[in-house]
Amino acid sequence: MCRPEWRRALVQAQRLADFARLRRVRDRIDREYARPLDVAALARDANMPAGQLSREFRAAYGRSPYAYLMARRIERAAALLRRGDLGVTEVCRAVGCASLGTFTTRFTELVGMPPGAFRRRAADAAGAADAAAGRPAPAAGPAIILDGMPAWVARRVARPVRNREAPAAGQRLA
């Protein structure tokens, strides 16, 4: 005889197992964003059909595995462009994008400006910050200096957001 609480426990255990598999997929994307990854390979490693992985990943994290991967790549690309020591093509290859055109399109979509303009703006901001602080301009190194800002705040502020997902102007943050 099957008791109702046993059934609930089995369903809960299955949900936890599915979420653990999704967490492993997300961790793999975070770890291997620069390698060629596709949803079929991720699904095969998670023992799920690709469609099921996409649906459950979106339900758990709010975006598809591909969108999450591209956001990680663009987030890392923005950090490399802020450093200022790599060109756009080198950054494109460093984050695992095979096509410069696709990289530029996704970067513009997520950040709001093309990667070259982002790099120039970051260099200008670093020069202005150095001039305001009376420091000589560095020959090489980070393009943006975040004095006094905790690392988690810097990551949160710099995280790319798809333009249509950005909150409307005038909304309060807290």
Side-chain angles (χ1 to χ4, degrees), residues 14 22-23 32 45 52 58 68 72-73 94-95 132-133:
Q14 183 61 42
L22 293 175
R23 182 66 187 249
E32 300 177 8
D45 290 346
Q52 181 184 2
R58 182 184 300 270
Y68 185 81
R72 287 295 149 259
R73 286 179 173 167
V95 298

Side-chain angles (χ1 to χ4, degrees), residues 34 42 75 84-86 123 135:
L42 294 171
E75 181 179 323
D85 58 343
L86 295 176
R135 293 183 293 229

Side-chain angles (χ1 to χ4, degrees), residues 60-126:
Y61 297 112
R63 56 176 74 172
S64 70
Y66 179 74
Y68 185 81
L69 171 64
M70 287 308 294
R72 287 295 149 259
R73 286 179 173 167
I74 299 303
E75 181 179 323
R76 182 66 185 146
L80 291 174
L81 289 170
R82 270 189 225 105
R83 277 190 3 199
D85 58 343
L86 295 176
V88 173
T89 304
E90 295 167 314
V91 169
C92 171
R93 302 281 185 247
V95 298
C97 290
S99 166
L100 182 60
T102 302
F103 170 72
T104 301
T105 301
R106 295 291 175 247
F107 192 95
T108 303
E109 181 180 276
L110 289 172
V111 176
M113 67 179 71
F118 181 84
R119 185 171 182 245
R120 284 189 297 278
R121 180 178 276 186
D124 291 345

